[in-house]
């Protein structure tokens, strides 16, 4: 019987880890886990699902980035597509970003996320900006 306990514990851990997924944000109701403001603007909303499956929602990508400093590895990071081309949230670590004051995000981070470089191309060219990655965000 003692031999089954570690295997059962491992099985429960793996089952809970597989169930982690994006939880839809209730705009106008959910509050940012970092700044506590109500999440209103879908274009800049973001989310973390930590390794235990707990969900943290954010109103600005800068709030998400600041909050990740408090996390251990293994969390899932999501951002919304600023251009609205993707109905599903993007993997924050694979998205590309632009930074400019004209984007006017809730916490003045002004960092819209895009699925890829092609999706950001028009705004990048018109504003003369460089593409940013998750690692290079300010």
């Amino acid at each position: 019987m003692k031999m089954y306990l570690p295997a059962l514990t491992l099985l429960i851990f793996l089952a809970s880890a597989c169930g982690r997924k994006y939880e839809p944000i209730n705009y106008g109701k959910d509050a940012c886990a970092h700044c506590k403001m109500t999440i209103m603007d879908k274009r800049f909303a973001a989310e973390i699902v930590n390794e235990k499956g707990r969900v943290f929602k954010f109103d600005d990508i800068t709030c998400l980035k600041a909050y990740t400093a408090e996390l251990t590895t293994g969390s899932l990071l999501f951002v919304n597509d600023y251009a609205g081309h993707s109905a599903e949230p993007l993997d924050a670590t694979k998205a590309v970003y632009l930074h400019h004051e004209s984007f006017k995000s809730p916490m003045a981070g002004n960092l819209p996320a895009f699925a890829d470089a092609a999706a950001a191309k028009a705004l990048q060219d018109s504003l003369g900006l460089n593409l940013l990655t998750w690692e290079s965000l300010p």
Side-chain angles (χ1 to χ4, degrees):
M1 185 70 169
K2 288 182 179 183
M3 295 180 65
Y4 294 115
L5 188 56
L8 182 61
T9 303
L10 179 62
L11 185 62
I12 290 170
F13 173 76
L14 291 175
S16 67
C18 294
R20 296 184 309 147
K21 63 180 183 177
Y22 179 84
E23 180 181 292
I25 294 171
N26 192 354
Y27 297 98
K29 302 252 184 210
D30 288 337
C32 177
H34 186 69
C35 70
K36 310 302 181 204
M37 289 179 54
T38 302
I39 303 171
M40 301 294 288
D41 193 340
K42 182 178 183 178
R43 299 173 303 164
F44 298 101
E47 184 173 302
I48 293 173
V49 181
N50 74 6
E51 66 280 351
K52 294 179 180 175
R54 185 163 178 208
V55 175
F56 302 90
K57 299 173 183 179
F58 303 91
D59 66 342
D60 195 301
I61 293 170
T62 55
C63 289
L64 168 76
K65 185 72 173 174
Y67 204 82
T68 58
E70 303 170 20
L71 294 174
T72 58
T73 58
S75 297
L76 304 173
L77 308 176
F78 299 100
V79 292
N80 281 348
D81 182 8
Y82 180 81
H85 297 300
S86 175
E88 298 297 318
L90 307 172
D91 180 337
T93 62
K94 295 179 181 169
V96 297
Y97 303 86
L98 295 175
H99 183 237
H100 194 270
E101 64 272 359
S102 66
F103 293 118
K104 308 278 186 219
S105 68
M107 295 304 291
N110 305 325
L111 290 165
F114 301 88
D116 53 36
K121 183 78 172 143
L123 283 170
Q124 179 189 13
D125 290 346
S126 68
L127 296 171
L129 303 174
N130 293 323
L131 281 179
L132 302 171
T133 63
W134 177 252
E135 293 79 20
S136 66
L137 289 179

